[in-house]
Amino acid sequence: MKISHLLLFIGATFFYTAVNAQTTIKGKLSTNNNESISGLNIKVKDKVTMSDTAGNFELYIPFTGNFQVEITGMGFHKETIFVNPKDEETFLGTIVIKHSNNNIQQVDVTGYNSLNEKVLNIGKAGILDRDLPQAVQIVNAQVIEDQQINRLSDALKNANGVAMGANRGGVNENFYARGYSLGSNNIFKNGARTNNGGSIEASTLESVEILKGSAAILYGGVTGGAVVNLVTKKPKFEYGGEVSMRVGSFNQYKPIVDVYGPLSKKLAFRVVGTGEYAESYRDYVESKRFYINPSLLYQISEKSSLNFMFDYLKSDFTPDFGIGSVDGKINEEVGRNTFINTPWAFNKTNSSNGQINFEHKFSTNWDLQAIASYQKYDRDYYGSERIQAKADGLAPRALSRTETNELTFNQQLNLGGTVMTGTIKHQILVGADADQSNTENYAFNIYGKGLGQKPNTAYDTINVFDPYNSISRTDIPGVDLKTRTTTDIYRYGTFVQDLVSLTKEFKVLAGIRYTYQKTKNAEVYDYATGETTTTPNKGKDDVDMGNKIDKAWSPKVALIYQPIPTTSLYVSYANNFTSNSGYDINYQPMGPSLIDQYEAGVKNDFFNGRVTANLTWYKIVNNRFAQTIIEADGSVKDANMKEFTGKTASDGIELDVSGKITEGLNILAGYSYNFMRYLETNDNGNVEDVRLVGTTAHTANGTIFYTLQNGSLKGLKLGLSTFYTGKRNAGWNNTKVNEREGVDRLIPIDPFTTFDFSAGYTYKNWSILGKIANIGNAFNYYVHENYSVNPIPPRNFTGTLSYRF
């Protein structure tokens, strides 16, 4: 974007807001006992803010005339105050809010309103989004309902700059943000790290929060693209719920139950459950799922609460690696429905999460949050994969049999509060966290010709242009256990962060984190011999260097300027680290790569707060990219010997627009551009200035929903959504050796756009909503390297009938 355009955009913002500026309300919330109340919502029409840890709040009101202030929150009675503003600032003083153990109030999300005046869980520190020098997006309950979202990938289509990289075999969805793969370390559930295996169930989600850029200071060993936090539905101290039935194309059937209420004056519950059966536009493919999420909220006192959450997902589905590649490229003659895996292939996953969240207010200024959680993930897979056919369509099928058991524990302690040093306000967060993970990978002997023979993974050869008639085998070869490899990883971290309000307009956010990570040498148990051996971390003369240790400091600093209440400008610097394998020329373990991130943005509210438009620019640079050492003659003597001589860069822009234009009319839109590439590599390394495989150049999304508010058709809802995925590369990035030899391993993928149309009707407690997705029947692919080539779904229908009580 040209600088002149950016300045024009900011200038228009200043002018528009200045001519409409009216008043800023300020006040403090407290109980009858003079205890400050944090986390309550203060709402005036479409403008919403939240009280801070000291109970203070302020909210800019960009319209004229009298208005009502509504104060609501969990555990307190609703309070309404009539305000007749006189000056640029209106002081409401201390407002006493009565506690209610048996009637906890919650604010329903009824639109795609501004995030800039809200506090998100993912930020930990209780900082308003307009004060957070980082791009944030949220897919809220209304969007999840309107779009009938089933999976995490459905939700993240609304987050510009976050693109599906692949759906490898249908086992788990892989996402890229700002050029970096999110992986399992970057996805959290209620603030605790969670696994994406088996595809995350969306029926229990209250919202999906996306914190873009580096979040290493808060979360430790995460990649720099983004952090995704899944917020599940919480118990309520009022009886209610919803039952619904969702049906769709390809024989999809999905009943959903959501029930909540009080068990006593201090104890509330909620249970969300669903089952699902679905076939597919892909031959032979089907899935069976069962999910349940019970939770309890214990309101210990006015100062303390305890939340218990557990969920369990059983997901059995046919592993599907798509149509594969032909002669290293994608061939559309292999039909959209063509299934190439063995018809008996299976993938069974079981995952569970348990979490205890304790919150306590020490005083009017300080509160504490403690989280303890675990996750268990088991996967059992058998079938063929990685279909790479020759030019004539012939492809040998090899079998793979694996089992994986993962067990992860997480503990967190976050202490936050505000202090004043003279006229300067400090919003401080101090935290510590720890992760312990144990992974067991089981390898099998596969007997292609039956037990008693030598192990052999070869199965048969098929013709991908005529797969079903070319199948020569349908039997399931026997297997037995070969080895069990156990890997343990321990991660510990501590951090401190301070948001310093120097004046009303100028703020500084600064913080630093220290992370210690230990990866133990893997232990391998051999079932044939009954012996356990440790895989050494070899150095010079094959000497074991012991467990791999990574240590890193992750700083963050930002300047924030808010010339008027509806506009916030910021610049920031942060870094994160990635672990490296191998050793240097002195046979010392390679340290981590430290990745620098620079970001600048402007956050705006328009039209009396009904529309938010946020613009972000970023640049991510890795000046310590580890490369294998190449000798002067071009040879590689030791592939594990490396040096920090490479560089990578990722830069781009992101634009987010959301709002409730008028009652019943909601919009959500965004656009992003990203260019991730190698800047410097050695003579045999990857070619520079070429887009990395898996990353997407342009993404865009737009959603508009309108619900009639009056007349005989009151309750009628109409919506249109569109999603654009731009050019990207599959295959593998070419090396300079490939280039010299005239070999091209890249597979360029064309962009595509899909359109969804929704229509529904609500009458009293009943609602029905239908959606036709991919109206234009666009045909394209999600590709993992060059073998998992998954065609996108064709035109399809989804409908949901619901009853609320």
Side-chain angles (χ1 to χ4, degrees), residues 697-770:
H698 304 269
T699 65
N701 63 281
T703 291
I704 181 169
F705 269 82
Y706 180 63
T707 303
L708 274 68
Q709 304 296 302
N710 302 291
S712 59
L713 294 178
K714 179 181 178 180
L716 177 66
K717 175 182 289 187
L718 300 173
L720 180 67
S721 297
T722 181
F723 306 99
Y724 173 81
T725 300
K727 290 183 178 181
R728 57 232 186 269
N729 290 325
W732 292 276
N733 279 88
N734 292 316
T735 66
K736 295 173 183 176
V737 175
N738 296 142
E739 198 173 57
R740 289 193 294 267
E741 295 176 351
V743 175
D744 185 6
R745 305 192 304 169
L746 283 176
I747 304 176
I749 308 294
D750 292 330
F752 69 95
T753 304
T754 60
F755 295 92
D756 301 346
F757 174 74
S758 299
Y761 183 70
T762 299
Y763 178 73
K764 294 184 177 179
N765 293 353
W766 291 92
S767 67
I768 186 170
L769 182 63

Side-chain angles (χ1 to χ4, degrees), residues 282-295:
R282 305 274 302 142
D283 296 339
Y284 299 103
V285 174
E286 67 174 15
S287 66
K288 300 175 183 177
R289 295 166 63 90
F290 170 76
Y291 176 81
I292 188 166
N293 173 211
S295 57

Side-chain angles (χ1 to χ4, degrees), residues 477-493:
V479 300
D480 61 22
L481 282 165
K482 181 180 180 182
T483 60
R484 181 189 67 232
T485 302
T486 303
T487 306
D488 294 313
I489 300 177
Y490 303 92
R491 183 186 301 112
Y492 308 97

Side-chain angles (χ1 to χ4, degrees), residues 785-799:
E785 294 181 346
N786 79 340
Y787 53 85
S788 185
V789 183
N790 301 94
I792 67 171
R795 183 186 303 111
N796 61 90
F797 168 80
T798 303

Side-chain angles (χ1 to χ4, degrees), residues 189-208:
K189 182 175 290 185
N190 298 319
R193 190 170 276 107
T194 190
N195 192 298
N196 191 27
S199 296
I200 288 171
E201 175 58 42
S203 62
T204 189
L205 296 181
E206 184 70 31
S207 63
V208 179

Side-chain angles (χ1 to χ4, degrees), residues 572-624:
S572 69
Y573 164 80
N575 77 19
N576 64 283
F577 73 94
T578 58
S579 182
N580 291 300
S581 61
Y583 41 81
D584 62 21
I585 194 171
N586 297 314
Y587 291 93
Q588 296 301 309
M590 294 294 289
S593 293
L594 302 179
I595 302 173
D596 298 313
Q597 301 206 26
Y598 307 90
E599 185 170 323
V602 54
K603 299 183 179 183
N604 307 274
D605 283 340
F606 295 98
F607 306 111
N608 296 333
R610 293 193 298 270
V611 176
T612 295
N614 298 339
L615 180 66
T616 309
W617 167 89
Y618 63 88
K619 188 176 186 65
I620 306 173
V621 179
N622 181 0
N623 288 315
R624 283 170 51 88

